[in-house]
Amino acid sequence: MAQVLEFKLPDLGEGLTEAEIVRWLVEVGDVVAVDQPVVEVETAKAMVEVPCPYGGVVTARFGEEGTELPVGAPLITVAVGAPASGGPTDAATLTAAQGTPAAAGGQGSGNVLVGYGTSEAPARRRRVRPDRPAPVTAPPPPASASAEPTNGRVRTGESADGPVAVISPLVRRLARENGLDLRELTGSGPDGLILRADVEYALRAAAVQGRTTTAAPASHPRVAAQPTATAVPTATSAGTRVPLKGVRGAVADKLSRSRREIPDATCWVDADATELMRARAAMNAAGGPKISLLALLARICTAALARFPELNSTVDQEAREIVRLDQVHLGFAAQTERGLVVPVVRDAHARDTEGLNAEFGRLTEAARTGTLTPGDLTGGTFTLNNYGVFGVDGSTPIINHPEAAMLGVGRIIPKPWVHDGELAVRQVVQLSLTFDHRVCDGGTAGGFLRHVADCVEQPAVLLRTL
């Protein structure tokens, strides 16, 4: 007999608590193999394909595309094991899907998800829970009824602790809309499958007894009734409301936390970038991959952080300690169709300009196509923000919590500038540094920013650290 297993949305890492369904990769009735991706979801950090740790037939999907689910919510149910009835072809297909170590030998799934994929899923057994509060269900059968289960009858001796044996999403919706707990019904279909007729029978029987079916039990939040109170119009109720979720919600939460916890300050300086632009042009004229301005600025950043390591830090508030980090993982702000993201270049301090340039190219393309992984978007220790691409000169950015500083770079434009004692038109840029005042004083922050400006104005200064 097939066993129906419920696959819940796993913890995708980095403290994420929910994900939005972008695209289903399987349909109800499809045969899936262990570790086969079944749905594409969007978290606050990236688009992720979620693999299923079970092999079998998909019996139900939870949530339409665009629905946001919390971690731990049911995602799909899969019937594992030989079907109760079916032709040889069906059985062979199901056997092939389960012909992996996880399904056949209990060795576990190859894809490691938090809470899944590390061992064989234990079989869920029914157990008696007499102290469980009774939800609104159909009345018990009359005394003259047969002992055999009939359509929509309530289970009186036991309650299934595992997933409900329901294939049709319509049956689930019908029960949910009427506040009926499917776990308390015995299905009349094959292997106890709950059919639509079972739910309708239970609802009719409840109506005969005069019971209400609009309230759901508190122990089952999935079928909780919606509030019935009428919203009172207010002066602020007009207009379009945009939910703070996904990338936008994550950005809002992180920036709000930064403002609450970090006492930040900002200093800025104008710099003559003419020589830096000439150096870049000379590099690109020599052949090879074109070096971006961002890569040159990143190399300047890593050199400045080596001289002023206080800014490559984080604050442990519970321990009341400043943690100075040995490695520089450089984040850079990138605007995409999904919103603002901050990909991270790992071990930026160990890369030369060409290496930084190549990694910037890879991460920028992944950001554009929406294929950045959570690992690409986390773990930064310092952020470089080139807001000059938006045509602005300056900004006072909010620090990317839990980092301690962010360097901002404005647009590079021709401006009158005194050079060698004479007025000339030069390529001028405004640089700004926003820093956590807990990790250093203004002298350190000013020294860092001045060193960056010196390298922009005289790139040869970098030769001392190459």
Side-chain angles (χ1 to χ4, degrees):
M1 183 176 70
Q3 179 186 18
V4 179
L5 298 178
E6 185 177 65
F7 175 40
K8 298 179 180 180
L9 179 65
D11 181 354
L12 299 172
E14 300 295 339
L16 301 177
T17 58
E18 66 275 322
E20 180 178 335
I21 297 175
V22 176
R23 182 168 58 100
W24 283 106
L25 305 178
V26 295
E27 300 287 342
V28 173
D30 286 356
V31 177
V32 296
V34 172
D35 291 342
Q36 176 181 333
V38 294
V39 65
E40 187 179 64
V41 301
E42 179 181 23
T43 70
K45 298 182 181 298
M47 303 274 279
V48 180
E49 287 187 351
V50 181
C52 179
Y54 311 131
V57 179
V58 177
T59 58
R61 301 186 318 191
F62 298 89
E64 301 296 329
E65 294 179 356
T67 302
E68 190 171 73
L69 297 178
V71 169
L75 200 56
I76 64 171
T77 55
V78 179
V80 178
S85 61
T89 302
D90 295 337
T93 303
L94 184 55
T95 301
Q98 295 170 339
T100 60
Q107 296 299 317
S109 160
N111 268 323
V112 178
L113 296 171
V114 178
Y116 291 94
T118 55
S119 62
E120 183 182 14
R124 296 194 174 183
R125 300 182 180 275
R126 296 180 178 179
R127 66 170 180 263
V128 179
R129 295 197 295 183
D131 56 341
R132 181 177 177 177
V136 178
T137 59
S144 60
S146 169
E148 295 296 324
T150 56
N151 292 8
R153 292 287 163 81
V154 179
R155 291 176 178 159
T156 57
E158 57 185 65
S159 175
D161 189 41
V164 183
V166 179
I167 292 180
S168 171
L170 295 178
V171 173
R172 289 183 179 275
R173 186 174 68 179
L174 179 63
R176 181 171 62 252
E177 290 176 350
N178 290 278
L180 186 65
D181 185 5
L182 291 172
R183 296 176 186 273
E184 300 298 322
L185 297 184
T186 298
S188 61
D191 299 323
L193 188 68
I194 298 176
L195 307 177
R196 180 170 183 170
D198 300 330
V199 175
E200 292 175 343
Y201 172 87
L203 295 176
R204 286 197 302 271
V208 169
Q209 296 295 324
R211 297 185 181 183
T212 177
T213 59
T214 57
S219 59
H220 293 282
R222 281 181 291 168
V223 295
Q226 296 298 319
T228 56
T230 303
V232 179
T234 64
T236 60
S237 62
T240 302
R241 293 177 177 265
V242 180
L244 276 174
K245 63 179 184 177
V247 174
R248 187 72 262 161
V251 170
D253 293 341
K254 198 158 195 176
L255 297 184
S256 297
R257 183 177 182 183
S258 179
R259 272 288 186 245
R260 288 194 305 268
E261 296 184 7
I262 299 178
D264 59 348
T266 302
C267 54
W268 56 90
V269 66
D270 288 341
D272 180 1
T274 305
E275 296 302 322
L276 181 67
M277 300 300 287
R278 288 176 179 171
R280 175 173 176 255
M283 291 179 188
N284 292 336
K290 300 295 184 182
I291 301 298
S292 67
L293 181 62
L294 188 63
L296 290 173
L297 292 170
R299 182 64 188 88
I300 292 173
C301 269
T302 58
L305 288 172
R307 179 171 291 197
F308 299 93
E310 297 91 338
L311 293 168
N312 192 52
S313 304
T314 187
V315 175
D316 186 340
Q317 293 200 112
E318 292 186 0
R320 293 187 61 82
E321 294 176 342
I322 298 172
V323 183
R324 291 185 182 173
L325 305 170
D326 298 327
Q327 298 172 316
V328 178
H329 301 314
L330 186 65
F332 65 99
Q335 192 70 34
T336 69
E337 293 181 358
R338 297 175 58 238
L340 178 68
V341 294
V342 184
V344 177
V345 177
R346 303 284 170 182
D347 298 318
H349 62 288
R351 300 175 186 263
D352 59 15
T353 304
E354 283 190 344
L356 290 167
N357 188 72
E359 188 65 1
F360 279 131
R362 183 188 72 82
L363 292 171
T364 300
E365 178 61 20
R368 187 187 65 81
T369 57
T371 57
L372 287 169
T373 66
D376 291 330
L377 293 165
T378 55
T381 64
F382 186 92
T383 296
L384 174 61
N385 188 357
N386 182 18
Y387 44 73
V389 297
F390 301 119
V392 297
D393 296 325
S395 175
T396 55
I398 300 175
I399 295 173
N400 188 21
H401 185 279
E403 298 170 13
M406 176 184 294
L407 177 68
V409 182
R411 59 178 178 167
I412 301 177
I413 57 173
K415 283 186 176 181
W417 190 267
V418 176
H419 177 67
D420 291 339
E422 295 183 357
L423 187 64
V425 176
R426 307 285 287 183
Q427 300 292 319
V428 179
V429 62
Q430 185 180 99
L431 305 170
S432 63
L433 176 70
T434 299
F435 64 98
D436 185 340
H437 226 314
R438 295 173 297 179
V439 304
C440 69
D441 295 326
T444 301
F448 173 92
L449 188 59
R450 187 64 256 170
H451 183 71
V452 170
D454 290 344
C455 291
V456 167
E457 294 184 338
Q458 301 178 13
V461 173
L462 282 175
L463 293 175
R464 295 179 60 89
T465 58
L466 291 180

